[in-house]
Amino acid sequence: MNSPARGQQGKAAPGRFRRYKGPLSIIVSSLAVVYVVYEILYVIGFLTTGAVFIYPFAFRSSALGLLLALTFLTVPATKNSPKDSLPWYEVPLILASLVVCAHVFFNASTILFHPPWASPYEQVLGIVCILLLLEATRRLVGMAIVLVALVFFFYTLYCNYFPGVFAGRGYPLARAVAVMYLSQDGIFGSLLNITVVVIFAFILFASFLRATGGGHFFTDLAFGLVGRMRGGPAKAAVIASSLFGTMSGSAVANVAATGSVTIPLMKQTGYRPYFAGAVESVASTGGQLMPPVMGAAAFLMADFLGVSYIKVCIAALLPAVLYYIGLFTMVHLEAVKIGLTGLPPEKLPSLTVTLRRGWMYLLPLGVLIYYLAVKGYSAEASAIYAVACLFLVSLFKKETRLGLRRLIETFAETALGMIDIVVVCALIGIIMGSLSLTGMGLNLAGGLVTLSGGHLMALLLLAAAGAYILSMGLPTTPCYIMLATLIAPAIIKLDVNPMAAHLFVYYFGMASMITPPVCPAAIVGAGIAGASMMQTGFQAMRLGILILIIPFMFVYNNVLLLEGTVFSVSLAVITSLIGVISLGASIEGFLLARANWVQRVLLAGAALVLIYPGLRTDSIGIGLLGAVVLWQWQKNERKKREAPGRSRAL
């Protein structure tokens, strides 16, 4: 049987980076290998418990210095910059990146006990460091977060000129730079520590999984399971992206990796190009919502809330499942509505053969979950154990074995995959430093509550809009960090469950991945599908509508976070599943037959009250849904009597 994924090697998107030949290529590869090996030695404890000891503060600065240098080496300043050579102006930026971080590295023990002030020399280094982060972030994710960071920096200096709740005392440059550049509340703070330790381990795991063929296995497994069904390729995209996306750490990278296989096959079976691109982008974004990893946000959320990682996974499970059931329903109904079939058996991988050849890829996942959930090890240690297991099982087959060249390529992919996350999180350190020094975090939360008049729905709408705007184009990890810092505290002020508040802002942060005008995941899907970017984006927003609805539901009723009695949770699971199916039918305009506008309104109403847990709402929802089912069943029966054989079974 032919494997849909055969010959497709998942790699970091090549178009973003310069591609060198000769000595510069060797320099980039060497820097990437040095960075990854250095990270591994630190994460496994070799540089923290042995004869060589590096302060965590020093380690963060050195990791950032290496990645900043790698950014200016590999990421062009503009679209028109050379892609195969290094412009002269990058050299001073690379050297400056190493110098400003080296100062912190070599003076870490002194800086940790440093008074909250910066010398003139350190002020220069601090300002240069901030400018380098601003420029690197501009190249990587655009101007939006750069402008936000600049606002916070200047707010720290001039908050005494701001009105109302945002008024502050204002701080001199030496104090502001000391906090942002020379303290653990700023650039090199605890958030950067989580990024260069925990996130690194999972990015490394995802890179090894791709390099050894694990991505192919999950894609083949999905096609083997559902490829023969109506709209099989689209359903396979949903399953494969949920399996792979939860570990990839990036919705965009997931679209590029799995979409190169699933989108062409969706088009071949009859899905319109923009619909195919939208399905993959929505499915890939859902991977960031699905436990156990959630694009590494699960570990960050546990740290922010001071709860166990397992508690975060349990709370996030049902909303993520509802998201995917809703997407799967719409994909199926679209296939029924336009009369699509599945792929023929000869074009599909055998499920038995796929499992026989790739069962070893399940072992590292088992190791990861075992050490996380059973042994209670740290997230980074569990991921490193999983990487070691993956490396060992890859040795048993020639085609999966990592030789020296493929190992270097995997290390390079890991380093390039870390650039966005580390650089943007370091920039967010400027925001964190400003909040720490000025107390604006409390002011902002209070300001949002005041603006909402103390009404929860008004606050949630403000928070949703703010989360969407602030998250535009940001990678998963820095997106969540910023929203958890700036917006979640305001929701918690109105006595909302902290877990629900954090998941609320996280969901709306991820919504920007598929919602125009930015919608980076949808744009990548459109590029692969050869479709209009905006048309794909609006279709993705339509297919992923649950990402905007479910958060409101679990804020108002925590049963959707699996909190409550066994009966209430069981009832919520059943009725919410029926609700998302009803919503899918409303959006697609098809259940047992094509739905008119009245039926679609009834289905939408049924969906909303069924997703919201409660006996009264569930009874209303079942009644509305039952009315539409009976209406359409009678319509189908009339058609059968009038023209036998014409109706199409669901």
Side-chain angles (χ1 to χ4, degrees), residues 134-207:
L134 291 169
E135 170 57 16
T137 303
R138 181 195 67 79
R139 296 186 186 195
L140 291 166
V141 298
M143 282 298 296
I145 185 62
V146 171
L147 294 174
V148 172
L150 283 171
V151 167
F152 276 90
F153 179 76
F154 285 109
Y155 174 80
T156 307
L157 302 177
Y158 304 111
C159 57
N160 53 308
Y161 293 106
F162 280 67
V165 296
F166 299 110
R169 56 176 289 186
Y171 291 88
L173 183 64
R175 180 73 184 279
V177 170
V179 170
M180 295 176 186
Y181 176 58
L182 300 174
S183 82
Q184 299 197 68
D185 293 325
I187 293 169
F188 304 109
S190 58
L191 294 180
L192 185 62
N193 185 68
I194 294 172
T195 305
V196 297
V197 176
V198 179
I199 310 291
F200 164 78
F202 283 91
I203 294 291
L204 182 68
F205 178 54
S207 296

Side-chain angles (χ1 to χ4, degrees), residues 92 111 131 167 275 287 299-300 356 447 479 524 618:
I111 289 171
L131 291 174
F275 190 91
F299 311 107
L300 295 167
R356 188 172 68 244
C479 170
V524 173
D618 291 343

Side-chain angles (χ1 to χ4, degrees), residues 126-341:
I127 291 171
V128 170
C129 182
I130 291 170
L131 291 174
L132 290 169
L133 286 172
L134 291 169
E135 170 57 16
T137 303
R138 181 195 67 79
R139 296 186 186 195
L140 291 166
V141 298
M143 282 298 296
I145 185 62
V146 171
L147 294 174
V148 172
L150 283 171
V151 167
F152 276 90
F153 179 76
F154 285 109
Y155 174 80
T156 307
L157 302 177
Y158 304 111
C159 57
N160 53 308
Y161 293 106
F162 280 67
V165 296
F166 299 110
R169 56 176 289 186
Y171 291 88
L173 183 64
R175 180 73 184 279
V177 170
V179 170
M180 295 176 186
Y181 176 58
L182 300 174
S183 82
Q184 299 197 68
D185 293 325
I187 293 169
F188 304 109
S190 58
L191 294 180
L192 185 62
N193 185 68
I194 294 172
T195 305
V196 297
V197 176
V198 179
I199 310 291
F200 164 78
F202 283 91
I203 294 291
L204 182 68
F205 178 54
S207 296
F208 267 79
L209 196 64
R210 280 191 289 265
T212 56
H216 299 171
F217 166 71
F218 289 120
T219 303
D220 286 352
L221 182 64
F223 274 95
L225 285 169
V226 297
R228 297 185 187 185
M229 298 180 181
R230 284 182 180 271
K235 294 174 180 176
V238 174
I239 295 173
S241 295
S242 66
L243 292 172
F244 187 66
T246 189
M247 296 170 289
S248 72
S250 168
V252 174
N254 193 15
V255 174
T258 58
S260 59
V261 176
T262 59
I263 290 174
L265 287 172
M266 280 189 266
K267 291 170 63 180
Q268 283 180 27
T269 53
Y271 283 108
R272 290 158 291 186
Y274 70 86
F275 190 91
V279 168
E280 180 57 51
S281 62
V282 174
S284 294
T285 299
Q288 308 298 288
L289 309 175
M290 178 67 77
V293 180
M294 298 167 62
F299 311 107
L300 295 167
M301 202 172 293
D303 186 72
F304 268 109
L305 294 170
V307 299
S308 69
Y309 156 78
I310 296 300
K311 187 171 182 180
V312 173
C313 288
I314 292 171
L317 181 59
L318 181 57
V321 170
L322 293 177
Y323 176 89
Y324 272 113
I325 293 294
L327 175 60
F328 199 91
T329 298
M330 284 184 265
V331 162
H332 173 74
L333 293 177
E334 177 74 12
V336 174
K337 188 169 65 174
I338 61 179
L340 300 185
T341 59

Side-chain angles (χ1 to χ4, degrees), residues 41-56:
L41 292 176
Y42 184 84
V43 171
I44 65 176
F46 185 81
L47 300 178
T48 56
T49 57
V52 180
F53 178 79
I54 297 177
Y55 284 102

Side-chain angles (χ1 to χ4, degrees), residues 475-538:
T476 301
T477 304
C479 170
Y480 169 66
I481 290 171
M482 186 164 63
L483 299 180
T485 304
L486 297 179
I487 296 181
I491 303 175
I492 295 171
K493 269 183 169 289
L494 289 188
D495 296 325
V496 171
N497 181 331
M499 181 74 74
H502 278 254
L503 283 171
F504 182 92
V505 297
Y506 182 57
Y507 264 64
F508 274 94
M510 290 300 95
S512 69
M513 288 287 166
I514 55 173
T515 307
V518 179
C519 55
I523 287 173
V524 173
I528 297 173
S532 161
M533 292 181 182
M534 283 299 103
Q535 193 175 21
T536 304
F538 282 113

